[in-house]
Amino acid sequence: MKDRPEDTAAGLARIEGYLMGQAALREAQEQGEAFARALTWLGAGEQEEISRRFAEHHLDLRKKMLAATVTRAAELRAEYTHRYVHLRRRTTGLAVAAFALCTAALLLLSRL
């Protein structure tokens, strides 16, 4: 059974998404650990708690930013699709008008 290109692309996108998610998780944990290490007056258990909470907060912010980006991308897609349809209609109308004008001019010239 052969995979369709769409299936392969979807599979690769899922793998890429997973890898990006793991990288974001690792980054959040590293940032949390670095932040907690700077708080030298805290005990080890407190630093672990701060590190974990910082990482959770960091991931929540990333999710919100990603959701906002996806929403904005959809808005832009809709806006540019609307503009493209409008431009295509205008261009088609102008082309038809120019063709009609040229046809009329040729008919008038052929009668002379």
Side-chain angles (χ1 to χ4, degrees):
M1 181 172 149
K2 290 189 176 185
D3 285 333
R4 295 183 316 219
E6 304 87 36
D7 294 339
T8 303
L12 289 174
R14 281 193 297 277
I15 291 170
E16 181 183 20
Y18 172 80
L19 293 174
M20 289 175 69
Q22 290 300 305
L25 179 60
R26 189 172 39 258
E27 178 189 340
Q29 290 169 339
E30 289 170 358
Q31 293 289 324
E33 290 168 4
F35 179 75
R37 272 195 311 270
L39 306 174
T40 56
W41 61 89
L42 296 177
E46 293 169 319
Q47 283 186 346
E48 287 176 17
E49 177 70 14
I50 295 292
S51 174
R52 183 185 61 75
R53 287 185 181 204
F54 186 98
E56 287 175 1
H57 181 71
H58 185 85
L59 285 174
D60 286 342
L61 284 176
R62 271 186 97 135
K63 287 176 185 177
K64 288 176 184 175
M65 288 171 48
L66 181 59
T69 301
V70 168
T71 299
R72 183 64 180 141
E75 290 170 355
L76 288 172
R77 176 187 277 283
E79 180 181 337
Y80 286 121
T81 298
H82 174 73
R83 286 183 182 187
Y84 173 74
V85 167
H86 183 63
L87 178 63
R88 189 175 60 203
R89 284 182 188 153
R90 278 188 15 201
T91 303
T92 302
L94 286 173
V96 168
F99 180 75
L101 185 63
C102 288
T103 302
L106 285 174
L107 285 173
L108 285 175
L109 287 176
S110 66
R111 290 187 177 183
L112 294 178

